[in-house]
Amino acid sequence: MSEITPDIVEAHGLNSEEYERVLHALGRAPNLVELGIFSVMWSEHCSYKSSRFHLKKLPTEAPWVICGPGENAGVIDIGDGPNGQKLAAIFKMESHNHPSYIEPYQGAATGVGGILRDVFTMGARPVANLNALRFGRPDHPKMKHLVKGVVAGIGGYGNCVGVPTVGGETNFDPAYDGNILVNAMTVGVAEQDKIFYSAATGVGNPIVYVGSKTGRDGIHGATMASANFEEDSDAKRPTVQVGDPFTEKLLIEACLELMATDAIVAIQDMGAAGLTSSSVEMATNGKTGIRLDMNKVPCREEGMTPYEMMLSESQERMLMVLKPGKEAMAEAIFRKWELDFAVIGEVTDSQHMILEWNGEVVCDIPLGPLAEDAPEYERPYVSKEEYKLWAAVKPLEDVPTKRDIGEDLLTMMASPALASRRWIWEQYDSQVGADTLQTGGDAGVVRVHGTTKALAMTTDCTPRYCYADPYEGGKQAVAEAYRNLSVVGARPLAITNCLNFANPQRPEIMAQLVGCLEGMGEACRKLDFPIVSGNVSLYNESKATGGGSAILPTPAIGGVGILEDYTRMASTGFKEGAQRIMLIGANPQATPELGQSLWLDVCCDMRAGSPPRVDLDLERRNGELVRHLIESGTVTAAHDVSDGGIMVAVTEMALVSNIGARLVTHAFEDYVDSEKLRHSWSVFAENQGRYLVTEPIDSDIVERLAHDAGVGCCFIGWTGGDVIRIGPNEETTVAQVSLTDLREASDSFFRDWMEV
């Protein structure tokens, strides 16, 4: 084999100190196979070496948590199934950022495939997909190509594999010009007594490879995902995997069929780092060893070496440990589904990974240094005060006051930030499986088949908040997910996350990560909303844009909640008949919070001030009230107030239903003295913890229930007509915009950009 030179070590992403650790772990120099295995297992993507220290501080437990971080996905108790069996929801979110920038279709498609496997490898049938996408400026020369490719890849894979895509978010910001983010989430349902884990146990038990053959696609994918982009990012295209959703569908059915038997001891998806990570994780979790015969690995290309086989990230592959004597039965199932099946090794008691090739040992590595004893760094980070100086967020001064509310509303609805995503979601099959109850609202909702229950799910994050104040931004991301679940009537249960940040070796970036995690942790504890799974994606910055741009800190949150009776589910659109519009969480003494608001950004071309504060006690109290109002049937529609404030929230409710609204200015008069400020500041402010609900015009119940619960609430207007109007009375109008004009504004961005 080749001599290991400093250049080869550097090419594998290891620094000199880490290579010294390799030498110490082995007691000798590694060969190329061993170096490659250390390289991928010690990459940020696999080892979380820059984040593990801080991730340990997050809350991960609750009475309903069955399995928290450490397995393929998180598992929570969702109660009884149709036949009295106990059910669990299994879910996770992961990133496929770098591959999607290099090759958008396959990068996004294989991101969906990978997260599906994380869920069904634990015994769950996937019931829903979501995604969280961040792109750069629409006028960037590469952006239209990236958006088209990513959306087509998500739709192409998810639609073919037969899992509905029910929710997500898409944002645009110049910070993502050279490094887009593609985060994919899957939720599945399993019986609690049929959940499968990855710990390889039983010395002598056969290790089985199933699924597709191994090719040369995706080699060094995990290493590539753990580095900055240089100017030659296109040259990395061979490191991007190629997916086949039809094979994935066969793999799902074959695995679930075998899982119905008692044959499986352990099972693991071959995700990042492929056969290497799956085998190392199984042996490490089982505190055993592993021996693989590389001559038996099914390969689709001639002359593949052990190095290539171990580092390949070819898709649609799984590794299993079976009970002795079950091999023939298992093979018959996988052959029936036209999938490869091969016994490639056995579980040992050596606590080493041993690979054999042509009768020789080509790798012998102790498992401890690969996994549990992998490098862990407490990277330096600047203080909150030093971060503020570095971030250089301007104070909120000289806010324009002479604004036309109607014109600003049209401008915002036509902006990439708020424009209709119809062009995107029409490419996704949201109805396959016939259990989807709601898409396009605050949360996707999917019926738990055969029951009255439904799972609600959402993805949320406001990166501009996280940049201005990482701690408050981290809190807000969790609180927003909590609100989006509550506002459809679901009780929030747990979250997964996808932590997207730039280079952690820069103290300012590390401060973003630490601050966001502190905020997330506090929010999860206060809201009883634990983190059960997740993913960390670092080095999301690029020299390809000419200046070494870093993304905004983007800790994407995927939340899951439960509705015990889906017939009580709330939806966003106004309902027929005159309705009163009520603001839950109203606080007349609070100053309208415009810092980092969308109105300030889109209409005033300013990003200034501190983001809105998040009062977690109020968040919990307000959310509990909203869920009670929905469950009791008191309200007819519900929507949370977020980007764009009350005016945008009302407009979104109106556009869904094609029913207008009349808002009264006196609902906002206690905020500030100046009339012009009163109108523009208050209706676009992004104060947190607020919801809009409607009740019949003759009801007048919501305000009383809110008062009894100690929650702020006020009347802000009525539904009806075909315009959004705001004014103090019937005779005086401060602003008025027709739904026709608002819909045209909302539809225009993607239609014109994509030339549809």
Side-chain angles (χ1 to χ4, degrees), residues 144-470:
K144 185 187 294 188
H145 162 73
L146 290 171
V147 172
K148 284 185 173 181
V150 165
V151 172
I154 291 171
Y157 205 100
N159 297 351
C160 292
V161 84
V163 178
T165 299
V166 302
E169 54 180 342
T170 302
N171 299 124
F172 296 86
D173 191 279
Y176 305 103
D177 278 356
N179 199 129
I180 64 174
L181 301 185
V182 176
N183 296 169
M185 177 177 170
T186 293
V187 180
V189 174
E191 296 181 20
Q192 290 185 22
D193 61 355
K194 294 180 181 177
I195 295 171
F196 292 82
Y197 298 98
S198 61
T201 57
V203 173
N205 281 347
I207 296 171
V208 173
Y209 171 120
V210 300
S212 292
K213 289 181 169 62
T214 295
R216 290 189 170 96
D217 56 318
I219 293 174
H220 287 302
T223 307
M224 177 269 292
S226 305
N228 299 332
F229 273 148
E230 303 296 332
E231 290 85 347
D232 62 345
S233 61
D234 283 351
K236 295 182 177 179
R237 187 169 284 112
T239 64
V240 178
Q241 311 93 319
V242 177
D244 180 353
F246 299 106
T247 299
E248 181 102 337
K249 174 62 174 173
L250 299 177
L251 189 59
I252 291 172
E253 300 304 330
C255 286
L256 292 177
E257 183 174 338
L258 185 60
M259 287 168 171
T261 73
D262 64 346
I264 298 175
V265 174
I267 182 169
Q268 178 74 26
D269 161 44
M270 292 192 214
L275 188 52
T276 291
S277 62
S278 57
S279 55
V280 169
E281 289 166 7
M282 291 178 80
T284 300
N285 291 343
K287 303 186 185 307
T288 54
I290 195 165
R291 182 192 66 79
L292 301 180
D293 183 345
M294 304 307 294
N295 291 93
K296 295 181 178 178
V297 174
C299 294
R300 67 168 177 260
E301 299 184 46
E302 293 292 331
M304 289 192 68
T305 65
Y307 177 92
E308 293 171 321
M309 290 182 227
M310 292 303 293
L311 271 59
S312 168
E313 294 185 6
S314 294
Q315 297 291 285
E316 294 87 40
R317 302 179 301 158
M318 311 284 277
L319 201 64
M320 296 182 179
V321 176
L322 298 182
K323 293 180 180 178
K326 301 292 185 179
E327 299 93 327
M329 177 194 68
E331 181 171 8
I333 290 173
F334 281 89
R335 297 296 183 195
K336 181 185 76 173
W337 290 101
E338 300 179 348
L339 296 167
D340 274 278
F341 177 99
V343 178
I344 64 169
E346 64 180 359
V347 178
T348 70
D349 60 2
S350 67
Q351 302 207 343
H352 277 232
M353 166 183 272
I354 297 175
L355 308 180
E356 297 175 357
W357 172 249
N358 294 334
E360 296 182 1
V361 173
V362 294
C363 170
D364 186 347
I365 302 177
L367 288 165
L370 281 178
E372 293 178 347
D373 300 328
E376 178 179 270
Y377 298 127
E378 294 182 46
R379 297 202 185 276
Y381 55 93
V382 298
S383 68
K384 291 182 179 180
E385 292 71 24
E386 291 169 325
Y387 177 80
K388 287 181 180 179
L389 290 174
W390 174 83
V393 176
K394 297 177 182 178
L396 187 55
E397 299 174 343
D398 302 322
V399 178
T401 58
K402 295 182 179 180
R403 309 279 319 175
D404 184 305
I405 293 175
E407 288 185 6
D408 282 356
L409 180 60
L410 284 168
T411 298
M412 292 177 72
M413 297 308 296
S415 72
L418 291 176
S420 169
R421 269 58 176 154
R422 177 185 299 273
W423 180 87
I424 294 176
W425 56 255
E426 281 188 341
Q427 298 185 53
Y428 303 152
D429 187 341
S430 64
Q431 303 302 314
V432 62
D435 283 322
T436 303
L437 299 173
Q438 185 173 159
T439 65
D442 294 281
V445 183
V446 176
R447 177 171 42 225
V448 178
H449 200 68
T451 75
T452 62
K453 302 176 191 287
L455 292 172
M457 53 207 75
T458 181
T459 60
D460 297 288
C461 184
T462 310
R464 65 183 186 276
Y465 291 176
C466 294
Y467 179 84
D469 186 330

Side-chain angles (χ1 to χ4, degrees), residues 63 67 81 88 119 222 262-263 285 314 319 343 403 510 540 575-576 593 598 623 721 745:
C67 178
V119 168
D262 64 346
N285 291 343
S314 294
L319 201 64
V343 178
R403 309 279 319 175
M510 198 64 206
N540 287 292
K575 304 305 184 289
E576 292 293 338
E593 298 203 54
L598 200 59

Side-chain angles (χ1 to χ4, degrees), residues 89-171:
I90 300 180
F91 61 100
K92 189 180 182 183
M93 181 190 288
E94 281 204 340
S95 62
H96 233 222
N97 304 332
H98 287 49
S100 298
Y101 185 85
I102 296 167
E103 214 307 301
Y105 184 94
Q106 289 296 346
T110 53
V112 174
I115 196 63
L116 282 166
R117 288 194 300 280
D118 277 338
V119 168
F120 76 74
T121 193
M122 297 194 71
R125 178 170 291 280
V127 298
N129 288 332
L130 300 91
N131 53 74
L133 312 178
R134 264 86 191 182
F135 297 105
R137 293 166 294 137
D139 60 357
H140 185 281
K142 196 171 182 178
M143 211 50 57
K144 185 187 294 188
H145 162 73
L146 290 171
V147 172
K148 284 185 173 181
V150 165
V151 172
I154 291 171
Y157 205 100
N159 297 351
C160 292
V161 84
V163 178
T165 299
V166 302
E169 54 180 342
T170 302
N171 299 124

Side-chain angles (χ1 to χ4, degrees), residues 443-567:
V445 183
V446 176
R447 177 171 42 225
V448 178
H449 200 68
T451 75
T452 62
K453 302 176 191 287
L455 292 172
M457 53 207 75
T458 181
T459 60
D460 297 288
C461 184
T462 310
R464 65 183 186 276
Y465 291 176
C466 294
Y467 179 84
D469 186 330
Y471 173 73
E472 285 295 331
K475 284 167 59 179
Q476 192 274 340
V478 173
E480 175 74 2
Y482 184 87
R483 287 197 297 272
N484 280 334
L485 297 174
S486 295
V487 82
V488 298
R491 177 168 57 92
L493 291 177
I495 68 173
T496 182
N497 60 58
C498 199
L499 306 176
N500 306 273
F501 292 85
N503 187 341
Q505 296 176 53
R506 296 166 56 190
E508 298 83 7
I509 302 301
M510 198 64 206
Q512 294 175 346
L513 175 60
V514 173
C516 284
L517 286 174
E518 287 179 351
M520 289 166 53
E522 181 177 349
C524 289
R525 280 183 282 270
K526 285 272 192 175
L527 299 175
D528 216 6
F529 202 22
I531 298 171
V532 298
S533 61
N535 171 242
V536 180
S537 175
L538 302 180
Y539 296 94
N540 287 292
E541 56 186 68
S542 172
K543 295 180 181 178
T545 53
S549 65
I551 66 162
L552 297 177
T554 312
I557 300 297
V560 174
I562 186 79
L563 292 96
E564 294 297 334
D565 182 356
Y566 60 73
T567 65

